Amino acid sequence: MTSTTPTTPWAGTATEALPGDGYAGTLVGRVWLPEAHGPSPVLVTNEGVFDLSHRFATVSALTEQAQPAVAAREAARDGARLGGFDEIYANTTTATRDRSQPWLLAPVDLQVLKAAGVTFAVSMIERVIEERVRGDAEAAARMRESILAEIGTDLREVRPGSEAAIALKEYLVGEGLWSQYLEVGIGPDAEIFTKGPSLSAMGTAVQVGVLSTSQWNNPEPEVALIVDSAGRIVGATLGNDVNLRDVEGRSALLLPKAKDNNASCALGPLIRLFDDGFDLDAVRSMTVTLEITGDDGFRLDGSSEMAQISRDPLELVGQLLGSHHQYPDGAVLMLGTMFAPIVDRDEPERGFTHKTGDIVRISSARLGSLVNQVEQSERCEPWQFGIGALMANLARRQLL
């Protein structure tokens, strides 16, 4: 298997999965090792994929180091070479996988999976629409036009919690347009929620899930920060915060059901650790692109510019973790998206929703491409390897 002849064409090639500068960054991931019956943290380089588990049993442990990028490269010097990235990537897709050979996993493990919502103006307006129409796509199209006529879309200069934000909120309340989403969009407190349990994230080149009962749903292409237990941002990856819009639109209290289902969170393909060539300013200037292609010939392209985020990543991390809340194994924080799919797919004013078989590719020049195929959550591979299984596996391997 090579990067130019992948086993599954929809997953693309290993070269496409990598950042635009290839192996120049410090790229860390996780690989399932069949002979060990468990996962290992790895460093991905142009010379191959190197096992780091002899030094760091988990990615979480690696990110707790003073200089994770330096620590990863030092550990790789005497780590076993597991193969080339091209062959491991080609073996990742479930349907064609040779289970006697290594494959990629989501690049995080013990970190809690968190996400920030309503961090972009367009996203905020879409949440207002969802709440008011209670999941009705046709009513959403009519209300969207009305709201945009009233308040416009350019809220980029309004900082949450500022005097300008307070004035905007008062105006919207006066117009009868206040909602919980506007409160977290322009108020002092960010919306930060648990996307899923530790170890439940899917990686690249595998399926992501939406509930079979959902009739209105979409991907959310996002940058995800890797945060250590002290609140230090040490790297970034790409994420897909799969969302059931009809479920959340019925009630904000249904957010857990809309967000946390089998295979509903994808991260990857790799973590790019901060080093001399990649830092938080690079994250702040990123553009994340989205490409959706369906078996029905449908295609949708979108993008999300991090420069337009309403709350700086440091502020969001500060609201996630501090004296008010600790995460001893670190956290992943998905930063939200400005992408709001309003393009009609089938019927006028019915908007966009996923269909089984859709291919979702989320890309950034600095982080590579995360690609997944949409399936019903109930039909996706069940999540069975949790924290207990991981600890037992690492103990058998004498890595603890």
Side-chain angles (χ1 to χ4, degrees), residues 78-113:
D78 56 353
R81 185 181 185 276
L82 303 178
F85 182 64
D86 54 355
E87 58 188 303
I88 292 176
Y89 183 83
N91 193 46
T92 297
T93 305
T94 308
T96 55
R97 181 180 298 161
D98 178 353
R99 292 186 173 270
S100 69
Q101 299 299 317
W103 62 86
L104 285 176
L105 301 169
V108 299
D109 39 47
L110 295 179
Q111 297 93 337
V112 67
L113 305 181

Side-chain angles (χ1 to χ4, degrees), residues 343-365:
V343 176
D344 294 330
R345 182 165 193 173
D346 292 318
E347 303 174 20
E349 298 189 341
R350 291 296 297 175
F352 168 84
T353 194
H354 271 311
K355 293 186 178 182
T356 299
D358 281 354
I359 306 302
V360 180
R361 181 177 292 274
I362 297 169
S363 305
S364 167

Side-chain angles (χ1 to χ4, degrees), residues 23-332:
Y23 299 99
T26 307
L27 305 175
V28 167
R30 288 168 66 241
V31 164
W32 184 269
L33 299 180
E35 67 276 14
H37 304 288
S40 279
V42 296
L43 180 72
V44 176
T45 75
N46 59 345
E47 296 179 346
V49 177
F50 294 90
D51 192 340
L52 306 180
S53 63
H54 62 294
R55 298 277 189 92
F56 306 106
T58 63
V59 174
S60 170
L62 170 63
T63 61
E64 290 296 311
Q65 300 302 300
Q67 295 180 292
V70 173
R73 292 189 178 277
E74 289 180 349
R77 291 173 185 167
D78 56 353
R81 185 181 185 276
L82 303 178
F85 182 64
D86 54 355
E87 58 188 303
I88 292 176
Y89 183 83
N91 193 46
T92 297
T93 305
T94 308
T96 55
R97 181 180 298 161
D98 178 353
R99 292 186 173 270
S100 69
Q101 299 299 317
W103 62 86
L104 285 176
L105 301 169
V108 299
D109 39 47
L110 295 179
Q111 297 93 337
V112 67
L113 305 181
K114 307 292 285 192
V118 202
T119 53
F120 291 83
V122 172
S123 175
M124 180 176 68
I125 292 171
E126 282 301 309
R127 296 303 188 275
V128 173
I129 293 170
E130 287 176 4
E131 181 185 64
R132 287 305 181 93
V133 303
R134 299 182 182 277
D136 185 327
E138 292 182 3
R142 295 191 296 271
M143 187 172 183
R144 186 176 298 113
E145 183 177 351
S146 175
I147 290 178
L148 295 181
E150 290 288 339
I151 65 174
T153 60
D154 190 6
L155 300 177
R156 288 171 293 180
E157 302 304 317
V158 178
R159 311 314 301 173
S162 67
E163 291 184 6
I166 294 171
L168 176 60
K169 175 182 174 180
E170 290 176 350
Y171 167 77
L172 294 171
V173 169
E175 295 293 314
L177 295 175
W178 180 88
S179 78
Q180 296 99 320
Y181 294 111
L182 289 169
E183 179 62 36
V184 297
I186 61 179
D189 297 318
E191 178 194 23
I192 297 179
F193 57 91
T194 299
K195 174 61 181 176
S198 301
L199 288 171
S200 68
M202 309 303 295
T204 196
V206 295
Q207 293 176 329
V208 291
V210 298
L211 288 183
S212 61
T213 54
S214 174
Q215 301 300 311
W216 189 23
N217 46 71
N218 64 273
E220 294 191 356
E222 307 184 15
V223 175
L225 300 178
I226 310 302
V227 185
D228 75 1
S229 62
R232 184 181 52 142
I233 305 170
V234 300
T237 189
L238 293 170
N240 184 357
D241 174 14
V242 180
N243 184 38
L244 309 184
R245 299 185 73 186
D246 48 359
V247 174
E248 186 179 0
R250 283 169 26 222
S251 170
L253 297 180
L254 291 174
L255 182 69
K257 185 176 181 66
K259 293 290 189 177
D260 182 8
N261 298 290
N262 187 38
S264 65
C265 176
L267 295 168
L270 303 165
I271 295 169
R272 186 164 188 166
L273 293 174
F274 286 175
D275 55 22
D276 291 341
F278 183 66
D279 57 15
L280 188 57
D281 283 338
V283 172
R284 291 184 175 110
S285 63
M286 279 183 184
T287 296
V288 178
T289 61
L290 172 71
E291 174 189 300
I292 303 171
T293 55
D295 292 338
D296 56 356
F298 177 84
R299 181 185 173 98
L300 177 63
D301 295 285
S303 64
S304 185
E305 297 178 9
M306 287 298 300
Q308 295 190 37
I309 197 168
S310 301
R311 301 180 195 266
D312 187 76
L314 280 175
E315 178 192 348
L316 289 170
V317 170
Q319 294 209 27
L320 166 73
L321 187 153
S323 59
H324 61 289
H325 204 313
Q326 296 79 46
Y327 296 97
D329 297 302
V332 180

